[in-house]
Amino acid sequence: MHSKAEIEIGDGLSDIRSTRQCLAALKKQVIWEQDLAKHSPVPWYLPLDTSHFCLSSFCLTAAGRFITKNMVIALEYVGLTRKGSQRVQSFLKKAAEGAVVGGK
């Protein structure tokens, strides 16, 4: 699946547009625009990237996502979370993966 589609599905968006498309549509209304992440030493998507390990964002690492997935499955199975929670967790995981691919 294309990263754009993964982000749209995972974040419940019908159709996202590129920055260029948005700026073209809003050209008369936009007073100032700048990509504030452009010159950052840390890419904005880094906390979502499973190849990056950080204790402060452990739940977003590959190991953290594995634990979270299985915890949600178990909690849904015993009835401590609503039915469909694991499906939502899966959508959000896909959205994060799509965001990383799109960011890179």
Side-chain angles (χ1 to χ4, degrees):
M1 184 179 290
H2 188 271
S3 61
K4 178 181 181 284
E6 289 176 340
I7 294 167
E8 290 169 346
I9 291 170
D11 291 333
L13 302 169
S14 61
D15 188 22
I16 56 175
R17 305 286 184 203
S18 70
T19 302
R20 184 178 299 121
Q21 290 171 314
C22 291
L23 290 174
L26 297 170
K27 195 170 187 173
K28 293 181 182 179
Q29 298 175 10
V30 174
I31 297 168
W32 177 79
E33 62 86 13
Q34 182 179 358
D35 182 351
L36 297 176
K38 188 175 186 177
H39 301 293
S40 172
V42 179
W44 62 265
Y45 58 83
L46 191 63
L48 300 173
D49 191 349
T50 56
S51 66
H52 173 74
F53 184 83
C54 178
L55 285 178
S56 66
S57 57
F58 177 75
C59 63
L60 299 172
T61 65
R65 287 185 186 173
F66 177 79
I67 292 168
T68 300
K69 175 186 174 186
N70 288 298
M71 178 85 67
V72 171
I73 290 170
L75 292 172
E76 187 174 329
Y77 179 77
V78 298
L80 292 176
T81 61
R82 291 180 180 245
K83 232 180 183 41
S85 295
Q86 197 277 322
R87 187 168 181 225
V88 171
Q89 186 273 334
S90 178
F91 284 155
L92 293 173
K93 179 179 175 276
K94 283 281 187 200
E97 291 167 354
V100 170
V101 171
K104 286 181 176 180

